[in-house]
Amino acid sequence: RKAGNSINFFPVLRFIEMKSLAALHAIVLLLPLASSFVLSASKHQNALRPSSSLNSLVPPSPVSEGISIEDFNSKVQVTYGRYPVTINRGQGCKLYDDVNGKEYLDFVAGIATCALGHNNAELTKAISDQMAKLHHVSNLYYIPEQGLLAKWIVDNSCADKVFFCNSGAEANEGAIKLARKYASDRGVTDPVILTARSSFHGRTLAALSATAQPKYQEGFTYGGKMVQGFESIVYNDVNDLKRAMKKFNRTPLLHKLMGRKRRVAAVMLEALQGEGGIKPGDPAFFKTARELCDASGSLLICDEVQVGMGRSGKLWGFENLDVVPDVFTAAKALGGGVPIGAMMAKGDAATTLGPGQHATTYGGNPLATAAGLAVARQIVEKDLLKNVQDRGEQLVKGLEEIRQRHSDVIIDIRGWGLLRGVELSEECGMLAGEVVGKAMESGLLLVPAGL
């Protein structure tokens, strides 16, 4: 460690359990390097001088200088179809492109993420205060903010326990692992998870396999197949759900002779399909899913990543369907824009995963959970669920007036709370993306879905 205002390095020393002579050799090679590093740092103030290679590094440019779109695209992998807009700052429901002098009304909210709007004073203070105190430690230790956020979620849901991670995809991966482990503990060798067509559960490999949209899976298969163990059904189709539950709760004879056992480990559904086109779940369909899962010992998983944390007008989307899941996931609005995800479970599902069976470096760290607590506090203290309901009704009323004037263009308006979709007719000759572009020119930010 070098004194003064230059560079501080904090060494990491890991103790390794020796399983073989090879491991012993690895430790003998590792520890002298780590030990001499620590001793040098403690005995000699100048032991850690910046090397010649360090001096040759190029420092990052000041943010105030900005970066051109051309330079941006030459350095950042082009995995997004970005609009030619650069957002510099935000306030409430407004975003600003100071370079081009543009102001936008934001109806995207970071894709259902910035639940408190932009530059929210309470969220900013919570994050700043936590950064000044402690922003990250490992989950090897107890983190008060994590425990308090978990308690709030448990107090306001059907969950018994919470696992924190960093994103919606990770939360869904955790739910998938939990479902497989839950089935394995009950002697199932071939666990099947049923998901709905037009669903979206994330970009990681298992979550993408659960996403029953082939367009997202193209190019990521092995031998033409994604991760095995996922089967799709038609969303809101009770008969198709019954068919799949009957089929996949039976073990093919050949597999049975080999000692294998196939069962439906879980039914994994969004309470409202977002990317699939803003399609709310049907209460009768979810009621049937609950009954079939109870009868077969399967878990009902609700993906609340987009609709959860109040966006529907209720804290959790499944509350609109009068159903209680065994597992549900959240992210996006949970941190108000600070990356955080969570996987909640109740009953036996809540104790399925044990130490070493699932983990994360960043999940539930002090900074992210302090942000989550700030969001939770404002949802309660400012009665934001009532505001979502009122603003949702206001939005639908305005959209219906537009629909009446343009019935040949708009054929449906659907959704819950402040997650609404406007379906365009095929005859109107306009694609959703084109309408989003035109709205942007007029200072309104929207996002297409169901493409």
Side-chain angles (χ1 to χ4, degrees):
R1 179 169 185 166
K2 187 173 180 181
N5 60 359
S6 64
I7 302 169
N8 292 315
F9 287 99
F10 294 88
V12 176
L13 179 62
R14 303 193 70 170
F15 290 89
I16 304 171
E17 182 179 356
M18 294 179 290
K19 297 293 186 181
S20 65
L21 187 59
L24 176 60
H25 288 162
I27 291 177
V28 170
L29 289 172
L30 170 64
L31 290 183
L33 291 173
S35 299
S36 62
F37 175 82
V38 175
L39 289 173
S40 297
S42 63
K43 286 185 176 181
H44 305 289
Q45 290 293 324
N46 297 323
L48 290 176
R49 295 183 182 277
S51 67
S52 57
S53 61
L54 182 61
N55 286 332
S56 67
L57 293 177
V58 177
S61 302
V63 175
S64 59
E65 291 184 4
I67 185 170
S68 69
I69 290 178
E70 293 75 15
D71 200 16
F72 184 102
N73 287 332
S74 71
K75 304 298 188 296
V76 178
Q77 294 187 32
V78 186
T79 60
Y80 302 94
R82 301 179 193 268
Y83 295 102
V85 173
T86 300
I87 302 299
N88 306 102
R89 59 187 176 90
Q91 185 65 52
C93 292
K94 299 290 185 66
L95 289 173
Y96 300 90
D97 177 354
D98 291 333
V99 174
N100 298 302
K102 292 281 290 184
E103 175 186 296
Y104 297 96
L105 179 61
D106 182 17
F107 273 27
V108 179
I111 309 184
T113 296
C114 301
L116 303 181
H118 303 286
N119 196 22
N120 176 268
E122 289 89 342
L123 180 59
T124 299
K125 184 178 187 304
I127 294 170
S128 298
D129 289 350
Q130 191 62 50
M131 279 296 296
K133 184 170 64 173
L134 178 70
H135 71 289
H136 178 77
V137 289
S138 167
N139 277 300
L140 292 172
Y141 318 111
Y142 287 96
I143 300 171
E145 297 80 11
Q146 181 181 139
L148 290 170
L149 183 56
K151 182 180 184 302
W152 180 82
I153 292 172
V154 168
D155 287 346
N156 291 280
S157 74
C158 59
D160 292 324
K161 289 180 179 289
V162 184
F163 173 87
F164 288 105
C165 52
N166 312 286
S167 68
E170 288 177 75
N172 286 333
E173 289 274 347
I176 291 166
K177 284 182 66 176
L178 187 154
R180 286 194 168 194
K181 181 66 166 58
Y182 185 88
S184 177
D185 289 346
R186 287 153 181 77
V188 177
T189 60
D190 298 14
V192 174
I193 297 177
L194 299 180
T195 64
R197 290 167 202 163
S198 298
S199 61
F200 189 86
H201 298 292
R203 303 277 184 175
T204 50
L205 202 55
L208 189 61
S209 300
T211 296
Q213 295 199 57
K215 66 181 181 182
Y216 290 121
Q217 299 172 348
E218 186 176 345
F220 302 110
T221 62
Y222 180 88
K225 296 181 179 180
M226 297 293 289
V227 175
Q228 296 299 282
F230 295 94
E231 300 291 342
S232 65
I233 57 173
V234 177
Y235 192 61
N236 284 338
D237 188 322
V238 170
N239 290 330
D240 198 39
L241 174 60
K242 289 180 177 179
R243 173 201 60 79
M245 289 291 284
K246 182 178 181 180
K247 176 179 179 180
F248 295 108
N249 272 318
R250 293 177 176 174
T251 305
L253 179 59
L254 180 60
H255 290 177
K256 188 179 295 186
L257 294 173
M258 297 168 62
R260 292 163 63 176
K261 180 180 178 181
R262 184 177 72 183
R263 291 293 185 273
V264 174
V267 178
M268 185 175 186
L269 301 165
E270 296 161 278
L272 176 151
Q273 288 191 335
E275 291 294 317
I278 315 300
K279 300 173 183 175
D282 174 46
F285 175 73
F286 275 79
K287 180 176 183 290
T288 301
R290 178 71 276 173
E291 292 171 348
L292 292 173
C293 285
D294 288 341
S296 63
S298 309
L299 298 177
L300 178 60
I301 301 173
C302 281
D303 179 344
E304 293 273 323
V305 169
Q306 192 163 101
V307 76
M309 285 299 290
R311 183 152 293 277
S312 72
K314 295 182 181 294
L315 188 59
W316 309 111
F318 59 76
E319 294 178 300
N320 294 279
L321 302 170
D322 194 26
V323 68
V324 176
D326 301 291
V327 179
F328 64 99
T329 57
K332 290 188 179 286
L334 181 59
V338 175
I340 186 172
M343 184 265 289
M344 282 62 67
K346 66 184 289 287
D348 290 342
T351 56
T352 293
L353 297 173
Q357 294 177 337
H358 198 52
T360 169
T361 297
Y362 294 107
N365 74 11
L367 182 64
T369 47
L373 285 169
V375 173
R377 192 169 293 110
Q378 290 193 67
I379 287 177
V380 175
E381 294 178 356
K382 296 187 177 182
D383 198 10
L384 293 188
L385 297 183
K386 179 65 165 57
N387 187 62
V388 171
Q389 295 165 13
D390 292 344
R391 299 289 74 73
E393 291 176 4
Q394 179 184 355
L395 179 61
V396 169
K397 182 180 179 181
L399 290 173
E400 286 291 355
E401 291 175 357
I402 296 173
R403 179 186 181 184
Q404 289 177 11
R405 296 198 303 268
H406 303 281
S407 57
D408 57 328
V409 176
I410 300 175
I411 62 173
D412 195 15
I413 298 168
R414 54 181 179 260
W416 295 330
L418 288 176
L419 183 54
R420 301 285 178 173
V422 175
E423 184 176 356
L424 305 177
S425 68
E426 293 185 12
E427 292 77 16
C428 75
M430 292 184 291
L431 298 176
E434 295 172 336
V435 175
V436 169
K438 288 294 184 181
M440 186 178 297
E441 292 176 6
S442 299
L444 175 63
L445 299 182
L446 304 171
V447 64
L451 303 180

